[in-house]
Amino acid sequence: MEALIPFSLNALTLISILLMVSMGMAIIFGLMNVINLAHGEFITIGAFTLVVVQGLGGNFWLALIAAPIVGYIIGLALEKALIARIYENPLHAILVTWGLSLILQQVIQLIFGASPQSITGPFPGSIDILGVAYPAYRLFLIAFALATFAATILVFKKTKFGLDLRASIQSSEMASVMGVNPDKINARAFASGAALAALAGVLLAPLTAVTAYMGINYLARSFFVVLVGGAGSISGVAAGSGLIGSLETALSYEIPTTVAQALVLALAIVILRFRPQGILPA
Amino acid sequence: MTTTILNTTPGQITRKQKLGPASIIAIGIILALLILPAFVQGYTLTSYRDVLLFALFALSLDLFWGKTGILSFGHATFFGLGAYGMAIMSIHFSIDPAIVSLVGLLAGVGMAALVALIVGYFILYGGVRGAYFTIVTLALTLIANHVAVGWPSVTGGDSGLIGVPPFSILGWSFADPISSYYLALIVLGACLLSSMWVMSGRLGLILTAIQDDEIKVQTLGYKTPLLLLMTFAASAAMAALAGGLYAAGNGFVAPDMIALLLSTEVIIWVAVGGSGTLVGAVIGTAIVWWLQQKISSINASAWPIVIGTFFILLVLVFPKGPAAFVLDKVKKLRRDKEDDR
């Protein structure tokens, strides 16, 4: 029993991380059907917002507010300049966003250098849970991820933006007849996805090495979370994160973490063969 | 038929009796490369040998991407499997030196073909095509890279493995620059001419037809997933052949031979030459390699930015490929001149 508590908390931490990094992917790839290989770089941008904010004397909480704004603005600008031209052709999307990803990585590295950035997270101590001491920051991460997830679901189900977006995804022609401007909706949706990824970047930063290439680690996993969970449904992200996160945690007790990650991705390919619509399809 | 570079369509309908322009160019290039060692020696020649092996790698991608229209974003997986297969066999096992290179090469090529068959079975038979195939192959490179970095006892981890012996077979050693250059040239020439020959025949036609309408081809009685799977496996095996020879030529393997950046670069080599032409992959590799030397000598960290910019330009400015873009401009100029008269 004693061992079960840290195990479930570790699994929950990883699931929360996957949930955070995949929500933006669920909007951009799952709902809008745009393959965005620069998704990882939006996460990196979020983490580097924290680096800049702390460099200027600000704290973690300020960065937590600033990062989604930075992500939103950059996402909006890139959507207008590039992404809006490639909605129809998935291969074009792959090439353009991959090019974007390479440029962003290199530019970030040129500005900040190649060595990992030092940042300080909040809550340095640990908290006792049923007799087990667990890092307080991880508990905060779990709570924050669940709250963000709930808020995202609410935005999609209850607000006018969510309604317009869902309408324009079902039939952009019909939606535009009803007075929804699909270009505007697409731009705002893409920027929201970028903002969520940047938010994830700030939350991840205290747990990982912050470098220009940190985002790439989450690219394939977030794709698979969305695919396995069921593209087109936000709640599928929870199912996908839950499955991939708990499997990876369980496996990494027995084998090296990188090999465990590889094995889980391989398993996800097998799952897609037999259930191509995902666990919780829309 | 779409005419963008990402969906290239070979124009031939029947096998030509005479040699087409592509075959003449291919033979011309091979002949020119045969006399190259008369002009360059030593280290320069070994870097030309590496270009030939990269060209073989590009050819392997073009065989699949150019002919089926499905983009593999994970071809470095197969190049890397070939390289690591060669390195692991010759370093970790005490095999008779007379056959160790051959065993290593076969192990790498076999592994690559096997991985391609397994993964290809799951995705091609699962009906996954187009962009989803690209994502899965992208993940494949990440998986392979994770394993290469995270399994140091076998792969050497981050630093890779040093001490791969030069390619040799039954006492014939290809250790010096000239013989290893000719080895690479012979392998490349054989692979290039045989793929052009195969693809100008029935298989090439069926693959073109699958690009246009897979369901119609199925209705005609062809097992399209099987054909795609076989082409994918052949392409993977050729990539591994290039990787194995590269590892033997340079004496080491490192995780960047099985990384996403290499998967990306090979797409550019093919795209610059014009995908689907096969010989274009060889020309494209040489052009990009030359450009990379020039740019890296000015600023080494600028190269990824150049690649990234190229991808964006490829889609937004010249979707048919740079070669076709230039040709179109030239044709237009000519037409304008004729109109003026």
Side-chain angles (χ1 to χ4, degrees):
Chain A
M1 259 329 272
E2 277 290 280
L4 207 61
I5 297 166
F7 170 77
S8 10
L9 287 173
N10 283 342
L12 266 177
T13 308
L14 184 59
I15 290 170
S16 308
I17 290 173
L18 290 177
L19 195 60
M20 281 307 299
V21 296
S22 308
M23 266 188 281
M25 183 66 95
I27 296 173
I28 293 173
F29 172 60
L31 291 177
M32 299 171 70
N33 219 359
V34 175
I35 295 171
N36 176 22
L37 298 185
H39 183 72
E41 278 57 54
F42 289 122
I43 297 172
T44 314
I45 286 172
F48 275 86
T49 308
L50 176 63
V51 172
V52 171
V53 166
Q54 290 198 333
L56 296 173
N59 63 11
F60 182 83
W61 308 109
L62 191 63
L64 206 57
I65 299 165
I69 299 172
V70 171
Y72 192 91
I73 293 170
I74 295 178
L76 200 64
L78 289 175
E79 201 277 347
K80 298 269 187 219
L82 291 175
I83 312 292
R85 302 157 190 247
I86 50 168
Y87 281 131
E88 302 82 36
N89 190 326
L91 269 181
H92 284 181
I94 286 173
L95 294 177
V96 165
T97 54
W98 182 252
L100 200 59
S101 158
L102 288 175
I103 295 173
L104 288 173
Q105 278 171 11
Q106 203 60 31
V107 168
I108 292 172
Q109 177 152 335
L110 281 177
I111 298 173
F112 293 94
S115 49
Q117 306 291 321
S118 72
I119 43 120
T120 41
F123 312 124
S126 49
I127 290 179
D128 255 25
I129 291 192
L130 302 172
V132 178
Y134 202 73
Y137 181 73
R138 291 180 169 223
L139 297 172
F140 160 74
L141 175 75
I142 295 169
F144 191 91
L146 290 177
T148 315
F149 179 66
T152 311
I153 294 252
L154 275 181
V155 167
F156 273 86
K157 300 270 183 218
K158 300 290 178 197
T159 64
K160 182 168 180 313
F161 167 67
L163 186 67
D164 288 353
L165 177 61
R166 281 181 291 139
S168 109
I169 285 157
Q170 271 191 2
S171 164
S172 84
E173 241 172 62
M174 189 57 82
S176 67
V177 170
M178 305 303 280
V180 177
N181 181 348
D183 294 346
K184 223 175 186 171
I185 285 291
N186 279 337
R188 284 174 62 191
F190 187 87
S192 312
L196 276 170
L199 186 63
V202 179
L203 285 168
L204 272 175
L207 297 176
T208 177
V210 177
T211 68
Y213 298 98
M214 65 181 280
I216 201 78
N217 292 326
Y218 301 97
L219 177 67
R221 283 149 102 200
S222 53
F223 262 119
F224 279 97
V225 164
V226 173
L227 283 173
V228 167
S233 80
I234 296 277
S235 37
V237 180
S241 309
L243 184 73
I244 291 184
S246 43
L247 268 178
E248 205 177 299
T249 313
L251 283 174
S252 50
Y253 274 76
E254 299 295 328
I255 49 180
T257 315
T258 44
V259 181
Q261 283 179 9
L263 212 60
V264 170
L265 286 187
L267 203 71
I269 297 177
V270 177
I271 292 175
L272 287 179
R273 166 70 178 91
F274 297 106
R275 205 172 157 77
Q277 73 277 36
I279 307 170
L280 274 185
Chain B
M1 283 200 195
T2 44
T3 50
T4 60
I5 188 173
L6 308 167
N7 244 327
T8 321
T9 51
Q12 291 164 281
I13 304 301
T14 52
R15 191 197 287 270
K16 283 179 182 159
Q17 295 304 311
K18 280 190 286 182
L19 286 175
S23 324
I24 293 169
I25 294 173
I27 292 169
I29 289 174
I30 293 169
L31 290 178
L33 288 172
L34 271 175
I35 54 167
L36 190 71
F39 305 100
V40 285
Q41 286 94 23
Y43 176 74
T44 323
L45 196 60
T46 63
S47 59
Y48 283 136
R49 174 202 65 209
D50 289 347
V51 179
L52 294 183
L53 293 174
F54 283 136
L56 179 62
F57 179 32
L59 173 68
S60 79
L61 178 70
D62 200 20
L63 199 60
F64 186 71
W65 177 29
K67 292 301 171 184
T68 68
I70 304 172
L71 175 59
S72 161
F73 223 84
H75 245 54
T77 313
F78 306 121
F79 183 86
L81 278 173
Y84 273 95
M86 176 67 99
I88 290 168
M89 279 296 161
S90 51
I91 290 173
H92 288 313
F93 299 87
S94 41
I95 300 171
D96 181 4
I99 53 162
V100 66
S101 294
L102 201 62
V103 172
L105 202 61
L106 286 178
V109 171
M111 271 294 286
L114 191 67
V115 169
L117 282 175
I118 294 171
V119 174
Y121 165 75
F122 278 109
I123 48 188
L124 290 170
Y125 277 82
V128 176
R129 300 284 185 277
Y132 283 79
F133 185 95
T134 309
I135 296 178
V136 173
T137 48
L138 183 155
L140 196 63
T141 304
L142 289 174
I143 294 172
N145 187 263
H146 274 319
V147 174
V149 173
W151 200 6
S153 56
V154 175
T155 62
D158 273 319
S159 44
L161 294 169
I162 304 171
V164 185
F167 195 82
S168 66
I169 181 165
L170 302 173
W172 289 57
S173 172
F174 296 87
D176 63 300
I178 293 180
S179 63
S180 71
Y181 173 86
Y182 276 117
L183 176 69
L185 182 59
I186 289 165
V187 174
L188 173 66
C191 287
L192 177 63
L193 294 178
S194 57
S195 350
M196 289 176 80
W197 188 75
V198 169
M199 284 301 167
S200 69
R202 189 175 196 84
L203 180 65
L205 289 178
I206 299 168
L207 291 177
T208 312
I210 293 176
Q211 265 192 60
D212 285 342
D213 193 333
E214 188 173 341
I215 292 170
K216 273 187 192 157
V217 180
Q218 279 174 353
T219 321
L220 291 171
Y222 291 104
K223 294 187 176 64
T224 57
L226 182 70
L227 289 170
L228 291 173
L229 184 62
M230 289 306 150
T231 314
F232 188 50
S235 159
M238 197 186 284
L241 185 63
L245 291 176
Y246 185 85
N250 286 282
F252 72 97
V253 287
D256 62 358
M257 289 180 197
I258 196 161
L260 214 46
L261 189 64
L262 185 61
S263 280
T264 323
E265 284 180 305
V266 67
I267 293 172
I268 295 186
W269 302 339
V270 175
V272 166
S275 73
T277 56
L278 299 180
V279 68
V282 175
I283 301 171
T285 309
I287 294 174
V288 176
W289 178 81
W290 177 80
L291 263 178
Q292 184 172 5
Q293 300 295 311
K294 293 280 161 215
I295 293 167
S296 299
S297 65
I298 302 166
N299 184 346
S301 58
W303 184 240
I305 296 183
V306 173
I307 301 179
T309 314
F310 177 81
F311 272 128
I312 294 172
L313 291 180
L314 180 66
V315 168
L316 298 182
V317 183
F318 31 77
K320 289 183 198 168
F325 178 79
V326 174
L327 280 179
D328 281 357
K329 287 274 175 236
V330 172
K331 272 184 201 155
K332 194 168 171 288
L333 270 177
R334 255 192 223 155
R335 256 205 318 276
D336 288 351
K337 266 186 193 162
E338 279 168 19
D339 289 349
D340 287 344
R341 268 180 221 146

